[in-house]
PDB file of all heavy atoms in Angstrom:
ATOM      1  N   MET A1452       0.838  -1.198   0.000  1.00  0.00           N
ATOM      2  CA  MET A1452       0.000   0.000   0.000  1.00  0.00           C
ATOM      3  C   MET A1452       0.872   1.247   0.000  1.00  0.00           C
ATOM      4  O   MET A1452       0.593   2.210  -0.677  1.00  0.00           O
ATOM      5  CB  MET A1452      -0.896  -0.034   1.241  1.00  0.00           C
ATOM      6  CG  MET A1452      -2.128   0.841   1.114  1.00  0.00           C
ATOM      7  SD  MET A1452      -3.178   0.333  -0.261  1.00  0.00           S
ATOM      8  CE  MET A1452      -4.278   1.726  -0.342  1.00  0.00           C
ATOM      9  N   PHE A1469       7.808  18.570 -15.335  1.00  0.00           N
ATOM     10  CA  PHE A1469       7.415  19.014 -16.679  1.00  0.00           C
ATOM     11  C   PHE A1469       6.982  20.477 -16.660  1.00  0.00           C
ATOM     12  O   PHE A1469       7.259  21.224 -17.614  1.00  0.00           O
ATOM     13  CB  PHE A1469       6.281  18.147 -17.217  1.00  0.00           C
ATOM     14  CG  PHE A1469       6.670  16.721 -17.420  1.00  0.00           C
ATOM     15  CD1 PHE A1469       5.727  15.710 -17.304  1.00  0.00           C
ATOM     16  CD2 PHE A1469       7.969  16.376 -17.714  1.00  0.00           C
ATOM     17  CE1 PHE A1469       6.089  14.397 -17.473  1.00  0.00           C
ATOM     18  CE2 PHE A1469       8.330  15.065 -17.887  1.00  0.00           C
ATOM     19  CZ  PHE A1469       7.384  14.066 -17.769  1.00  0.00           C
ATOM     20  N   ARG A1476      10.061  28.238 -21.624  1.00  0.00           N
ATOM     21  CA  ARG A1476       9.388  28.936 -22.715  1.00  0.00           C
ATOM     22  C   ARG A1476       8.769  30.241 -22.228  1.00  0.00           C
ATOM     23  O   ARG A1476       8.600  31.188 -22.998  1.00  0.00           O
ATOM     24  CB  ARG A1476       8.332  28.002 -23.319  1.00  0.00           C
ATOM     25  CG  ARG A1476       7.670  28.498 -24.552  1.00  0.00           C
ATOM     26  CD  ARG A1476       8.631  28.939 -25.587  1.00  0.00           C
ATOM     27  NE  ARG A1476       9.395  27.860 -26.190  1.00  0.00           N
ATOM     28  CZ  ARG A1476      10.451  28.071 -26.980  1.00  0.00           C
ATOM     29  NH1 ARG A1476      10.830  29.297 -27.252  1.00  0.00           N
ATOM     30  NH2 ARG A1476      11.110  27.060 -27.486  1.00  0.00           N
ATOM     31  N   ASP A1485       3.363  32.811 -26.923  1.00  0.00           N
ATOM     32  CA  ASP A1485       4.167  31.667 -26.488  1.00  0.00           C
ATOM     33  C   ASP A1485       4.194  31.586 -24.973  1.00  0.00           C
ATOM     34  O   ASP A1485       4.058  30.509 -24.386  1.00  0.00           O
ATOM     35  CB  ASP A1485       5.588  31.793 -27.027  1.00  0.00           C
ATOM     36  CG  ASP A1485       5.643  31.636 -28.512  1.00  0.00           C
ATOM     37  OD1 ASP A1485       5.013  30.708 -29.006  1.00  0.00           O
ATOM     38  OD2 ASP A1485       6.308  32.452 -29.166  1.00  0.00           O
ATOM     39  N   ASP A1515     -11.072  20.155  -4.497  1.00  0.00           N
ATOM     40  CA  ASP A1515     -11.718  21.461  -4.636  1.00  0.00           C
ATOM     41  C   ASP A1515     -10.720  22.516  -5.087  1.00  0.00           C
ATOM     42  O   ASP A1515     -11.007  23.342  -5.959  1.00  0.00           O
ATOM     43  CB  ASP A1515     -12.337  21.874  -3.300  1.00  0.00           C
ATOM     44  CG  ASP A1515     -13.437  20.925  -2.885  1.00  0.00           C
ATOM     45  OD1 ASP A1515     -14.003  20.278  -3.781  1.00  0.00           O
ATOM     46  OD2 ASP A1515     -13.717  20.835  -1.686  1.00  0.00           O
ATOM     47  N   ASN A1535      -5.712  40.914 -25.494  1.00  0.00           N
ATOM     48  CA  ASN A1535      -4.606  41.177 -26.398  1.00  0.00           C
ATOM     49  C   ASN A1535      -5.112  41.542 -27.786  1.00  0.00           C
ATOM     50  O   ASN A1535      -4.495  42.334 -28.489  1.00  0.00           O
ATOM     51  CB  ASN A1535      -3.706  39.949 -26.453  1.00  0.00           C
ATOM     52  CG  ASN A1535      -2.314  40.313 -26.841  1.00  0.00           C
ATOM     53  OD1 ASN A1535      -1.969  41.483 -26.890  1.00  0.00           O
ATOM     54  ND2 ASN A1535      -1.514  39.320 -27.119  1.00  0.00           N
TER      55      ASN A1535
ATOM     56  N   GLU B1153      -4.376  -1.496  -8.236  1.00  0.00           N
ATOM     57  CA  GLU B1153      -3.370  -0.454  -8.044  1.00  0.00           C
ATOM     58  C   GLU B1153      -2.364  -0.441  -9.191  1.00  0.00           C
ATOM     59  O   GLU B1153      -1.921   0.623  -9.617  1.00  0.00           O
ATOM     60  CB  GLU B1153      -2.664  -0.674  -6.711  1.00  0.00           C
ATOM     61  CG  GLU B1153      -3.579  -0.389  -5.542  1.00  0.00           C
ATOM     62  CD  GLU B1153      -2.956  -0.757  -4.216  1.00  0.00           C
ATOM     63  OE1 GLU B1153      -1.897  -1.406  -4.225  1.00  0.00           O
ATOM     64  OE2 GLU B1153      -3.530  -0.411  -3.194  1.00  0.00           O
ATOM     65  N   SER B1171       5.569  18.809 -22.858  1.00  0.00           N
ATOM     66  CA  SER B1171       6.626  19.727 -22.438  1.00  0.00           C
ATOM     67  C   SER B1171       7.747  19.793 -23.467  1.00  0.00           C
ATOM     68  O   SER B1171       8.264  20.868 -23.764  1.00  0.00           O
ATOM     69  CB  SER B1171       7.185  19.298 -21.086  1.00  0.00           C
ATOM     70  OG  SER B1171       6.335  19.736 -20.068  1.00  0.00           O
ATOM     71  N   ILE B1175       9.001  23.111 -25.709  1.00  0.00           N
ATOM     72  CA  ILE B1175      10.370  23.595 -25.795  1.00  0.00           C
ATOM     73  C   ILE B1175      10.886  23.573 -27.227  1.00  0.00           C
ATOM     74  O   ILE B1175      11.493  24.533 -27.715  1.00  0.00           O
ATOM     75  CB  ILE B1175      11.276  22.750 -24.882  1.00  0.00           C
ATOM     76  CG1 ILE B1175      10.889  22.963 -23.434  1.00  0.00           C
ATOM     77  CG2 ILE B1175      12.735  23.125 -25.059  1.00  0.00           C
ATOM     78  CD1 ILE B1175      11.033  24.366 -22.967  1.00  0.00           C
ATOM     79  N   ARG B1183       3.292  25.058 -31.132  1.00  0.00           N
ATOM     80  CA  ARG B1183       3.328  24.924 -29.673  1.00  0.00           C
ATOM     81  C   ARG B1183       1.918  24.829 -29.112  1.00  0.00           C
ATOM     82  O   ARG B1183       1.665  24.076 -28.156  1.00  0.00           O
ATOM     83  CB  ARG B1183       4.056  26.108 -29.063  1.00  0.00           C
ATOM     84  CG  ARG B1183       5.530  25.973 -29.190  1.00  0.00           C
ATOM     85  CD  ARG B1183       6.221  27.237 -28.755  1.00  0.00           C
ATOM     86  NE  ARG B1183       7.545  27.310 -29.335  1.00  0.00           N
ATOM     87  CZ  ARG B1183       8.148  28.422 -29.658  1.00  0.00           C
ATOM     88  NH1 ARG B1183       7.553  29.570 -29.471  1.00  0.00           N
ATOM     89  NH2 ARG B1183       9.344  28.397 -30.170  1.00  0.00           N
ATOM     90  N   GLN B1240      -3.319  39.038 -34.607  1.00  0.00           N
ATOM     91  CA  GLN B1240      -2.244  40.011 -34.527  1.00  0.00           C
ATOM     92  C   GLN B1240      -1.296  39.928 -35.705  1.00  0.00           C
ATOM     93  O   GLN B1240      -0.332  40.678 -35.759  1.00  0.00           O
ATOM     94  CB  GLN B1240      -1.465  39.785 -33.251  1.00  0.00           C
ATOM     95  CG  GLN B1240      -2.324  39.990 -32.048  1.00  0.00           C
ATOM     96  CD  GLN B1240      -1.638  40.805 -31.014  1.00  0.00           C
ATOM     97  OE1 GLN B1240      -0.430  40.906 -31.011  1.00  0.00           O
ATOM     98  NE2 GLN B1240      -2.409  41.405 -30.149  1.00  0.00           N
TER      99      GLN B1240
END
Side-chain angles (χ1 to χ4, degrees):
Chain A
M1452 201 61 192
F1469 296 150
R1476 187 51 69 191
D1485 292 314
D1515 296 336
N1535 205 10
Chain B
E1153 290 173 350
S1171 280
I1175 294 299
R1183 282 172 202 149
Q1240 298 225 339

